[in-house]
Structure formats: C-alpha cells, structure tokens
Amino acid sequence: MMHVFANFWLGKLNLQALPPNAIQWFGALLMISVPIGLAVFLTVTKRWKWLYKEWLTTQDPKKIGVMYIIVAVAMLLRGAADVALIKTQQSISVGHSMGILSSSHFQQIVTAHGTIMIFFVAMGLMFGLFNLIVPLQIGARDVAFPFLNATSFWLFFSGMVLVNLSLILGDFAATGWLAYPPLSELRYSPTVGVDYWIWSLEIAGVGSLLSGINFLVTILKMRVKGMNLMKMPMFCWSVLGSTLLIAFAFPILTVCLTLLALDRDIGTHFFTAGGGGNMMMYVNLIWAWGHPEVYILVLPAFGVYSEVVATFSRKRLFGYTSMVWAIMAIVLLSFIVWLHHFFTMGAGSDVNAFFGIMTMIIAIPTGVKIFNWLFTMYRGKIRLESPMLWFIGFVVLFTIGGMAGVMMAVPPIDFQLHNSLFLIAHFHMMIVGGVLFADFAAITYWFPKIFGFRLNERLGRIAFWCWLIGFLLSFIPLYILGFMGATRRLDHYAAGLGWQQLFIVSAIGAAVIGIGVGVQILQLVYSYFSRRNNLDLSGDPWDGRSLEWSTPSPVPFYNFAKTPHVTERDAFWVAKRHNLKDTRPYEDIEIPKNTPLAMIIAAGALAFGFAVVWHIWWLAVIGLLTSVVSLIVRSMDEHTERIIKAEEIERLDKLYSGGLSR
C-alpha cells in the first residue's frame, strides 16, 4: 500500500536520486547556496518587494534584456566549472590512473557543458542584446508583443532551472549534447538524465521560438517612420536573419525532442531500430535544426562587429548592401549544409559531394563580411579600445576555425577527422571566437547606454588578452590531438601515446581563460564602485551611429520621449553633424503594465517538465493547467497598458537628459 502511495505522489523520485559522490554533492550544495544566499540578502536588505515590482513582473525589454544577460553569465560560470573538471580529468586520466571522475559522470559533465553553453549562455546573451538594442535602433518604444517577450524569458529561465536540478536530484544525459539514439533511447539510458535534457531544451526552446517570432515582427512592423529596410542598422539586419532562422528551425527541434520523449515515455518507436524506427531520421532532424542554430548565434555577432568596427574606425560601414545580401545568403544556405555533420554515415558519394560543395559556398558570404570590416578599417581613425580588441581577436580565431571548417567540408578529410578533437577545436573557435567574443564586445560597447557608466578599460584589455592567449593555448593542442587520433568525449587513454603533455597544455590554457573570467568579474565590481568618476559620457568617443545614441544614458523606461524621424541610414550621426534639434511637442505615450502572469506560466511549465521527468503525473496536470489558465486570464485582461501624460514625459525627459537619473 505504501509503495502505491509513494508511486502516486513521488513517481520515480526516491532517496537514490540524491548525488552519489563527493564531487556531485559539492556541485549540488554550491548550486543550492546561490539562491539561498540571494534570498538571505534580499531579506536582510528588505528588497523582495522592489525585486518583484521592478524586475520579476516587468515587461520592459531593457530590464528583460538585463535579466537574460545575468542568467547567461551565471550559466557561463557553471559551464566554466564543468570545463575545469573536464580538463583535469583529461590531464591525469592516463594509463593506470583513472582520474577524478567516473566515465559516466564525465560524460554527463561533457553533455551538460555543451547544452548549457549553447542554449543558456550563447542564446541567453543573444536574446539579452536583442531586447536591449533592437527597439532603440529601430526607434520603437517596445517590442511587438511585450507579454510574449516576458513569457519567453521566463520559459528560458525555467529551462535553465531544470538543467541545474539534475545536479541535485537524479543525473544528466551521458549521451553528448545532441543525444543521438540509440544511446538516448530508454534501453541504453534508463535513468532520468535524458529526460532532463529533453524537457529543459523543450521548455527553453519554446521560449526561444516565441522570442524569435516576437523580434521578427518587431523589426518588420515597428520601425520608425522613414526607416525602410535598407536604412536599418546592420545589427538589426543580422537580428532579422537570425530570427528568420529561429522561426523555421526551432519547430524542427521541438518536434524532434517530442518524438524522442514519446519513444521514452509511452513506448513509440520513431527512432528505435528494433521497433521499426529510424535512428537516421533523428540525426537528420537534429542537424536540420543544429546547423541553422550555428548561424542563429553567429549572425547577431556579425551585426555587433559591424557596429563596433564602424564606430571605432570613425567611418561608415564599407559595403552595406553587400553585407545585407551576405546575411540573406547565409540564411538560405544554412538550411542546405546540415548533412556535413554526418558524412561518415553512408549517405553516398553524390549526397556527400552536394553538401560538401554547399559547405564551401557558405564560406563565401562569411568571407565577404571579413573583407568588408577590413575595408571599413582601411584609412579609418582606428581606436583600439577593448570592443575593437574583441573584434581583432575574433578575426584571428574565426579565420583559423573557418579554414579548419573548409577542410572538413571535403568528405574524405572528414572521414579522417570526424568525431575527433579536431572537430571540437573547430567548433569552439567558431562559437567562442565568433559568438562569445562578440557578446563581450557588445556588452562593453553598449554598457554605458544600459547602465550610464563605463566598464574599466584597463581591466577589459587584460581580460581580452587572457581570453585570447588562453584560448589559443587551450584549443591549438586539440587540433594536434585530433590529427593524432584522440576522439571527443575522451575520459581515459593509454600511456605512451604522447597525448598527456598536449592535454596539460590545453588545461593550462583553460586556466588562463579562467583568470580572464575572474578579471571580468573584477572589472564589473571595480567599475560599479568607481562609477561616480566615470559618469560623464558627453563627447563620448564611443558615440554610435544608430538611433539608440539619441537617447540618454541610461535609457529611461519609456525609450523615446519623442518618436524620432529618419531620413538617412546613420540618422543620429547626421543629426549630430548638422546640429539638428527636435522641436516637436511632447505627446502622451502608452507602456505595458507589469504582470506576474508570464512568470506563473513559466512556473507551470517548469512544474510540468519536472513532473514528466520523474513521472509525477498529478503535478504534471497541475503545472499544465497553471500555464493554460494563466494564459486564458491574460487574454481576457483588457487593461494591460498605462498612459503617461505629455507633461510628465517632458519632466522625465529633462531629468534623464540632465543625467540626474544616474
């Protein structure tokens, strides 16, 4: 009777779900200590009400953007901790030494690292920048669907929580970050690890899809009067390309994960070879999403570099039209290269040849961008500030990684390098060098616009050099190890192969990157406490060319006191050069009211995901009903906006413009 009672209320959850060893206990306790410490701080400082009213219930895209970045940075630190364990294990697990991790635990950490860095670091930083910058650049006071925007963030947050719950209860997938069947099928992964992976990505993926659609509509429908598509800032063009990819690619991921969940939970056989399923259908589906995902991340990075290079070269961006066409070419071509991820799986020479050629062709519009940036710098008044340094570091790493990618586009070469550490080095150089460096450049570049003061430049430079040198030290050895036959997800290898020294060099490089991360944390803390010495942004050499620079720093909650007019591509630059003043009267504006419903919808989704992982069906029903009812309640609410009178806007505009808000 007690057994039936426990199964009903707890499903598969029992004491065996607790961490089995000291390392996992330490990780679990560290993970728990963060929210507990935050709760204690908020209680002592009596800031709970402020947090709820100003942040948790907000629909302001600027605050949502900051929350995206905070969560992504927290996950970056979690991913860095995973790297420390991976590098330590690979450095010492040779011959008779088995290292500090079991093989299963190592595979879980590798899977968690890839999952977290792609979905909860790179995607989080990207959506944070979308929220912070896109409305300001197109002259909009808000996004097209503010409530949907808030819901997207909280679904992203719920997916992040579910990933990290696997540290505390149960385990995580030991399948690699794309969870190929048959390893991810129930027979070979009977624990809850793959279920955590499925439902965390399912929930966060739905949030990403909704956010992508939101920003696609925002760019297409909410541009300020006079701003046609060919007058948009290049960052907005890159976001448009990225969101087009999201709208078409993320439904594929949702379907793929749903089919795998059905295989595991109700015994279907979509991917089970023994039951008539087809494992290669999964591989095709996951990469039909997975390769566009690479460009979903890297296109906004290209937009960031376009803004940074033009500003710090004091020139218009060279080849604007060709850059636009290059973005659209990448959007199209990214959907016809996915098969190069599995050249070795028997598709045939004709198919391999087609996808190999398409992979080489997609390098052309990417190369166009590199040359456009270099020509923008040519004869420019270049200032090597830290955002520009991140760009130069990107060019170095992206060129190396890109040449490696073109090599692997040749199927016979790929047969030798497939599943090796050469591939891992290539992927990291493209994503970290291409995407993460752009995120750091963007945060540094737009930080004054968001917070009203600058990050310390000297510490920013030190962080950059730590990242660049550490990255080269960490991943150049992996190219060599790949040629020597070292495979990815390798947790132990024989003595006498000559690999250990290279793994140790790679670990040293990771440690140097860790120092860079520490310097970035110090940079933020130091800049905050010395901000009173760094508030005057007048005569700012970082004055951008887009409309966002026509607002005060930090930007007020209503974005624009007056809707700007656009007649030129670089509207603010032109207005500043000709000393043009806006003499129009102030008008009443509408902004969305705060609401807790977005957070409640995501909480229901989190409860549903956790319940399905552990087969707690009553909780799954409650979680699903919570989300559905909250959505219905929101749809019936007719009073979702508040009006701010013109007189109040005029007073606030003078306050913000005078810098008193700082």
Side-chain angles (χ1 to χ4, degrees):
M1 186 65 181
M2 288 296 294
H3 180 69
V4 174
F5 180 82
N7 281 345
F8 176 78
W9 288 107
L10 298 177
K12 298 190 294 183
L13 189 59
N14 53 45
L15 291 176
Q16 293 180 347
L18 294 173
N21 58 55
I23 292 178
Q24 286 172 273
W25 266 111
F26 177 77
L29 293 174
L30 186 63
M31 188 62 62
I32 294 171
S33 68
V34 173
I36 291 176
L38 181 60
V40 170
F41 172 78
L42 292 170
T43 302
V44 171
T45 57
K46 299 180 180 179
R47 303 284 277 180
W48 279 108
K49 185 177 180 180
W50 166 83
L51 180 67
Y52 176 80
K53 291 183 65 176
E54 296 294 326
W55 290 89
L56 301 185
T57 59
T58 187
Q59 294 188 69
D60 183 350
K62 295 179 291 299
K63 290 183 177 178
I64 291 172
V66 170
M67 290 193 292
Y68 264 117
I69 290 174
I70 290 172
V71 173
V73 170
M75 289 300 96
L76 177 62
L77 297 178
R78 160 74 200 274
D82 290 338
V83 169
L85 291 172
I86 292 169
K87 294 297 183 182
T88 301
Q89 174 73 12
Q90 291 180 325
S91 297
I92 65 177
S93 182
V94 55
H96 296 295
S97 171
M98 302 308 294
I100 60 173
L101 304 171
S102 68
S103 182
S104 175
H105 190 197
F106 179 87
Q107 301 303 328
Q108 291 178 48
I109 291 172
V110 169
T111 304
H113 173 71
T115 302
I116 286 169
M117 296 302 286
I118 293 294
F119 284 91
F120 300 105
V121 176
M123 292 290 286
L125 291 171
M126 180 188 73
F127 281 124
L129 292 174
F130 286 7
N131 275 276
L132 290 167
I133 304 305
V134 169
L136 299 180
Q137 286 199 335
I138 64 172
R141 289 204 178 96
D142 211 329
V143 295
F145 309 111
F147 180 73
L148 193 66
N149 194 34
T151 304
S152 299
F153 165 73
W154 286 110
L155 288 172
F156 166 82
F157 182 84
S158 295
M160 179 276 296
V161 171
L162 199 56
V163 162
N164 288 291
L165 276 175
S166 65
L167 269 178
I168 303 167
L169 295 171
D171 57 3
F172 199 63
T175 56
W177 76 280
L178 289 177
Y180 282 8
L183 187 55
S184 57
E185 290 279 351
L186 193 60
R187 179 178 179 183
Y188 299 102
S189 295
T191 63
V192 297
V194 174
D195 299 303
Y196 269 122
W197 180 84
I198 290 171
W199 289 103
S200 61
L201 299 195
E202 193 82 278
I203 293 169
V206 170
S208 297
L209 175 60
L210 296 178
S211 190
I213 293 171
N214 195 357
F215 280 96
L216 179 61
V217 176
T218 299
I219 291 173
L220 292 178
K221 302 297 290 184
M222 297 189 68
R223 298 188 309 277
V224 71
K225 184 178 180 180
M227 182 183 284
N228 59 34
L229 288 175
M230 295 307 289
K231 290 178 183 174
M232 283 200 308
M234 190 53 62
F235 179 71
C236 291
W237 265 111
S238 69
V239 173
L240 180 63
S242 179
T243 53
L244 281 169
L245 289 174
I246 290 172
F248 286 100
F250 265 82
I252 302 173
L253 176 67
T254 302
V255 170
C256 186
L257 295 176
T258 301
L259 296 180
L260 182 59
L262 291 174
D263 275 10
R264 291 180 58 84
D265 290 333
I266 65 173
T268 58
H269 299 293
F270 292 106
F271 309 126
T272 311
N278 187 345
M279 293 176 290
M280 285 307 300
M281 182 168 68
Y282 179 94
V283 177
N284 275 281
L285 285 173
I286 202 71
W287 281 118
W289 159 82
H291 200 85
E293 166 67 7
V294 173
Y295 293 102
I296 286 169
L297 296 174
V298 84
L299 282 178
F302 291 163
V304 168
Y305 293 131
S306 298
E307 301 287 345
V308 166
V309 171
T311 296
F312 289 95
S313 299
R314 310 291 289 179
K315 283 178 61 181
R316 282 180 180 265
L317 182 66
F318 179 88
Y320 177 95
T321 303
S322 64
M323 291 282 272
V324 170
W325 282 107
I327 289 173
M328 291 298 107
I330 288 172
V331 169
L332 177 63
L333 291 170
S334 67
F335 279 105
I336 50 177
V337 296
W338 82 87
L339 196 129
H340 70 216
H341 291 276
F342 46 100
F343 276 149
T344 63
M345 295 185 182
S349 58
D350 292 344
V351 174
N352 283 357
F354 172 81
F355 282 90
I357 292 168
M358 290 299 103
T359 303
M360 295 177 189
I361 289 174
I362 203 172
I364 295 173
T366 306
V368 167
K369 293 179 175 297
I370 296 289
F371 283 106
N372 280 2
W373 294 321
L374 295 178
F375 281 124
T376 302
M377 295 170 65
Y378 178 66
R379 288 191 170 181
K381 297 178 181 179
I382 299 172
R383 295 177 61 94
L384 290 179
E385 307 280 352
S386 54
M388 196 67 169
L389 291 178
W390 289 113
F391 164 74
I392 293 171
F394 149 77
V395 172
V396 173
L397 298 183
F398 205 77
T399 302
I400 296 171
M403 289 189 295
V406 173
M407 283 177 59
M408 289 188 293
V410 181
I413 296 178
D414 186 75
F415 268 72
Q416 298 298 315
L417 300 174
H418 184 77
N419 208 39
S420 74
L421 289 179
F422 187 96
L423 173 64
I424 298 300
H426 158 71
F427 183 77
H428 279 78
M429 281 207 166
M430 303 304 282
I431 295 300
V432 176
V435 178
L436 202 56
F437 276 28
D439 292 329
F440 293 152
I443 290 171
T444 307
Y445 176 55
W446 278 306
F447 197 89
K449 182 55 58 179
I450 302 164
F451 296 106
F453 64 95
R454 282 200 201 155
L455 292 172
N456 181 270
E457 179 65 14
R458 184 177 181 184
L459 291 174
R461 290 169 179 269
I462 294 172
F464 163 75
W465 286 111
C466 287
W467 268 93
L468 182 62
I469 294 169
F471 199 85
L472 291 170
L473 277 175
S474 188
F475 287 96
I476 294 298
L478 297 194
Y479 280 121
I480 301 170
L481 284 163
F483 276 123
M484 296 172 72
T487 60
R488 56 181 171 180
R489 300 195 289 275
L490 186 72
D491 63 276
H492 182 266
Y493 49 94
L497 296 174
W499 293 359
Q500 187 177 22
Q501 295 86 348
L502 289 169
F503 275 120
I504 291 173
V505 172
S506 180
I508 292 171
V512 174
I513 293 174
I515 294 171
V517 173
V519 172
Q520 287 173 302
I521 296 172
L522 176 63
Q523 179 191 25
L524 180 61
V525 174
Y526 178 83
S527 301
Y528 175 78
F529 285 106
S530 62
R531 67 191 185 281
R532 293 188 181 278
N533 300 323
N534 199 20
L535 290 179
D536 185 12
L537 301 176
S538 60
D540 195 340
W542 294 13
D543 53 353
R545 314 177 69 88
S546 306
L547 281 176
E548 84 266 10
W549 293 92
S550 65
T551 58
S553 299
V555 183
F557 61 89
Y558 47 81
N559 284 8
F560 294 97
K562 301 174 183 177
T563 305
H565 285 182
V566 169
T567 57
E568 300 281 345
R569 183 176 297 157
D570 295 314
F572 177 65
W573 185 267
V574 173
K576 185 177 178 181
R577 289 188 65 184
H578 293 88
N579 197 27
L580 300 178
K581 303 293 184 181
D582 192 343
T583 58
R584 292 173 297 158
Y586 291 90
E587 298 177 354
D588 296 350
I589 65 172
E590 293 182 351
I591 62 173
K593 290 181 179 179
N594 288 6
T595 175
L597 289 176
M599 188 168 50
I600 294 171
I601 289 171
L606 174 59
F608 175 82
F610 181 79
V612 174
V613 168
W614 290 102
H615 292 185
I616 308 173
W617 302 118
W618 63 268
L619 181 60
V621 171
I622 291 175
L624 186 60
L625 286 175
T626 299
S627 296
V628 172
V629 170
S630 299
L631 193 58
I632 293 172
V633 170
R634 171 65 184 184
S635 67
M636 298 174 66
D637 188 357
E638 298 179 356
H639 305 287
T640 59
E641 295 183 333
R642 63 189 179 100
I643 298 175
I644 306 178
K645 294 295 184 180
E647 298 79 9
E648 179 67 7
I649 286 294
E650 182 176 8
R651 186 186 69 83
L652 289 171
D653 190 41
K654 291 178 180 178
L655 181 71
Y656 277 94
S657 298
L660 297 180
S661 62
R662 301 171 192 161

